[in-house]
Amino acid sequence: KQWYQRRVRGVGMAAIRRHPFSLVDYLAPYPQVRATITKILPYYLLRSLASQYGMVVVLDEFGNILDSLQDPGGAVVPSVSEVAEIGGVLYIGSYHSNYIARLTLRNEF
């Protein structure tokens, strides 16, 4: 069955947390500092500080994680923003790519 028939959805994850230190987590209590940093630093530098990890999490209708598709180095799809399944094909968008990745599904979720 296709995802929509089983009420299964893919959710894109734009970034992951890095342990032991995450700049995003560290600056969370300081919104003004975050806003200032994003205005001062150029986009390419901010992007280099962010993780390039690509991930799609597959959830059932109750939000339970069924599976995940991961691109640890972000070589194919870094910072996944959108996921759509149409006719057994996943279309995956990214905040940083100028293309939409296409992945033919072989296994049922």
Side-chain angles (χ1 to χ4, degrees), residues 2 7 9 18 21 26 28-29 36 40 44 51 62 65 71 82 94 103 106:
Q2 294 180 352
R7 298 182 188 210
R9 296 291 180 251
R18 298 281 183 197
F21 179 75
Y26 180 76
T36 302
I40 293 173
Y44 74 89
S51 66
F62 302 107
I65 298 173
D71 180 9
E82 308 281 337
S94 168
L103 176 67
R106 288 184 273 188

Side-chain angles (χ1 to χ4, degrees), residues 4-19:
Y4 66 85
Q5 291 173 324
R6 291 197 53 218
R7 298 182 188 210
V8 173
R9 296 291 180 251
V11 177
M13 298 290 169
I16 61 168
R17 289 188 167 134
R18 298 281 183 197
H19 293 286

Side-chain angles (χ1 to χ4, degrees), residues 11-84:
V11 177
M13 298 290 169
I16 61 168
R17 289 188 167 134
R18 298 281 183 197
H19 293 286
F21 179 75
S22 167
L23 185 62
V24 173
D25 289 338
Y26 180 76
L27 294 175
Y30 312 104
Q32 288 298 97
V33 173
R34 287 192 330 256
T36 302
I37 288 173
T38 59
K39 290 177 184 172
I40 293 173
L41 295 178
Y43 175 75
Y44 74 89
L45 185 57
L46 289 172
R47 184 173 175 210
S48 71
L49 294 173
S51 66
Q52 296 301 307
Y53 204 101
M55 181 168 23
V56 174
V57 177
V58 182
L59 305 173
D60 69 10
E61 61 188 290
F62 302 107
N64 299 311
I65 298 173
L66 301 177
D67 203 349
S68 67
L69 307 170
Q70 301 184 33
D71 180 9
V76 179
V77 185
S79 303
V80 176
S81 60
E82 308 281 337
V83 181

